Amino acid sequence: MTSHIPVGTNTPWNQQKVLETVRGLEGLSGQEKNSLVQMLQNENTKIAKVIKDSATVKELEASLLSEECCLPNDVSTVYYPRTEKSAQNGNSAAEFSRQQMINALDKYSENKLSVQTASVKAVLKILQKVEKKPSDIRNRRLQMGNVVVKKFITGVKGGLELVNACGYVEMEIGDKKTKYLVLKDAKIEIIKLAISLLKEKLQDIKSGGTKSVPKPRKVLCPCGFWGSSDQDGLCSVCYKKRFMGVDPVKKSSSIAATQEKKARDSKKKWKLSLKRARTKLAAVYRFRLGVQKRSRIIQKNKKRCFTCNRKVGYLGFECRCMYVFCELHRFPDTHKCTFDYKHLHQNKLKKDNQVVAHEKITKLE
């Protein structure tokens, strides 16, 4: 805060003392005090002259309360009248607030009965806390991002108007500029008036005096289908297309296309797995054909070499021709192997080196 006392003056006042004097004035409202503090911060020349001419605290208070100390007209005469006029205009301010509350509560009838009851109870609970402890700033400050405030005040028709009539003002607080509904000056009369009106409204809702929301009527949509009166006479498809930018027909067609594509892909995978299984079966069949079955002799004792009958135990070598041999006869050329290695390697080369060629004719599925 910059100094509001001009340099070179011989006044006995300092910044803190003047601020304490302004905040301790009994003849001004909170708004007028804030306006004076702002004028002090902005180094107003008239305020500086008043401070310079005042020698004592009483003189300074009298000068600040006098009509010569120029407050803004809208603050001093319209919103917050002086102590001489407050008794005359107090009733009119209360009546004005009462009328605003009644208008806001009339808007409540546009909501459902359950929404009306929940919102009235929530606002009533908040105002009862303020009435109980009017100096507690936590009760007089409502964050607009709060779930309760969104659901029962700002999200209800007439809710925001009702709290505004009670004295709540929308403000941005903190470095993050969080939006709050703040009750700067808690006037107990207006709070009590609001509580009584809310209790009457709640009793009226319970007794069934409030008119319920009329049911939507069937209206013929321009597209030819039946629409609803609460959707501007449109059907659900046209309503979403106009106000939400969503075309349900296109959306459903795109979903159907993706599902069809997935079905085709799954069908291709099934065909591919069947083709692989056939290839494996063919390979096994060809492998078995590689062994000459005509002259095949079954080896009964597989713990001895099939050629030299040498004892090998569990260390024998089993060849592709299904016989067990020792270390001297384990190679195909040493025991006259009957397995067709040429056919085996031909199949292996055919499998590893598949032909890559583009189809000349596009198949229609």
Side-chain angles (χ1 to χ4, degrees), residues 18-27 33 61:
V18 174
L19 285 174
E20 289 176 359
T21 306
V22 170
R23 287 167 183 164
L25 291 173
E26 296 180 355
K33 291 176 185 178
E61 288 179 353

Side-chain angles (χ1 to χ4, degrees), residues 160-210:
L160 191 59
E161 290 85 347
L162 178 61
V163 294
N164 288 337
C166 296
Y168 282 90
V169 183
E170 187 177 341
M171 292 181 64
E172 292 180 351
I173 299 174
D175 297 334
K176 295 183 180 179
K177 294 186 178 179
T178 310
K179 289 186 177 180
Y180 283 87
L181 287 169
V182 182
L183 183 63
K184 288 186 177 180
D185 196 3
K187 295 182 179 179
I188 302 300
E189 295 178 359
I190 294 176
I191 298 298
K192 286 182 178 179
L193 177 63
I195 290 171
S196 64
L197 289 173
L198 286 170
K199 285 181 179 178
E200 289 177 8
K201 181 71 175 177
L202 193 60
Q203 191 66 28
D204 190 22
I205 292 170
K206 287 181 180 178
S207 62
T210 307

Side-chain angles (χ1 to χ4, degrees), residues 9 17 42 81 89 106 145 151 168 174-175 180 193 258 263 283 302 306-307 314 323 349:
T9 58
K17 194 171 181 180
N42 295 334
N89 297 337
D106 287 339
K151 188 174 181 180
Y168 282 90
D175 297 334
Y180 283 87
L193 177 63
T258 52
K302 291 195 174 184
F306 186 71
T307 302
Y314 294 104
Y323 295 115
L349 287 171

Side-chain angles (χ1 to χ4, degrees), residues 161-327:
E161 290 85 347
L162 178 61
V163 294
N164 288 337
C166 296
Y168 282 90
V169 183
E170 187 177 341
M171 292 181 64
E172 292 180 351
I173 299 174
D175 297 334
K176 295 183 180 179
K177 294 186 178 179
T178 310
K179 289 186 177 180
Y180 283 87
L181 287 169
V182 182
L183 183 63
K184 288 186 177 180
D185 196 3
K187 295 182 179 179
I188 302 300
E189 295 178 359
I190 294 176
I191 298 298
K192 286 182 178 179
L193 177 63
I195 290 171
S196 64
L197 289 173
L198 286 170
K199 285 181 179 178
E200 289 177 8
K201 181 71 175 177
L202 193 60
Q203 191 66 28
D204 190 22
I205 292 170
K206 287 181 180 178
S207 62
T210 307
K211 294 181 181 179
S212 59
V213 181
K215 293 183 179 179
R217 295 179 292 101
K218 281 189 176 182
V219 185
L220 193 63
C221 182
C223 67
F225 289 95
W226 285 106
S228 180
S229 59
D230 59 349
Q231 293 182 353
D232 294 341
L234 301 174
C235 65
S236 59
V237 175
C238 297
Y239 184 79
K240 289 178 182 178
K241 193 185 295 184
R242 179 178 293 182
F243 295 102
M244 300 182 187
V246 179
D247 193 349
V249 178
K250 290 183 180 179
K251 191 175 181 180
S252 59
S253 62
S254 63
I255 292 170
T258 52
Q259 289 178 352
E260 189 179 350
K261 188 178 180 182
K262 286 181 180 178
R264 269 194 264 112
D265 293 342
S266 62
K267 193 175 180 181
K268 285 182 180 179
K269 287 179 182 178
W270 176 78
K271 286 183 178 181
L272 186 62
S273 60
L274 180 63
K275 190 175 180 180
R276 287 175 181 172
R278 283 179 178 175
T279 307
K280 287 180 181 178
L281 287 172
V284 172
Y285 177 72
R286 288 171 183 172
F287 174 77
R288 288 180 179 177
L289 283 179
V291 182
Q292 295 180 1
K293 293 182 180 180
R294 293 178 183 176
S295 60
R296 179 167 180 78
I297 302 172
I298 299 173
Q299 186 181 6
K300 295 181 179 179
N301 188 4
K302 291 195 174 184
K303 292 185 179 180
R304 290 183 177 273
C305 178
F306 186 71
T307 302
C308 64
N309 205 25
R310 183 180 176 182
K311 191 174 182 179
V312 294
Y314 294 104
L315 301 176
F317 299 92
E318 188 175 4
C319 182
R320 288 181 183 269
C321 60
M322 304 298 195
Y323 295 115
V324 178
F325 299 96
C326 63
E327 59 181 2

Side-chain angles (χ1 to χ4, degrees), residues 52 73 102 127 142 306:
K52 183 179 179 182
N73 292 329
I102 291 170
L127 294 178
L142 304 174
F306 186 71

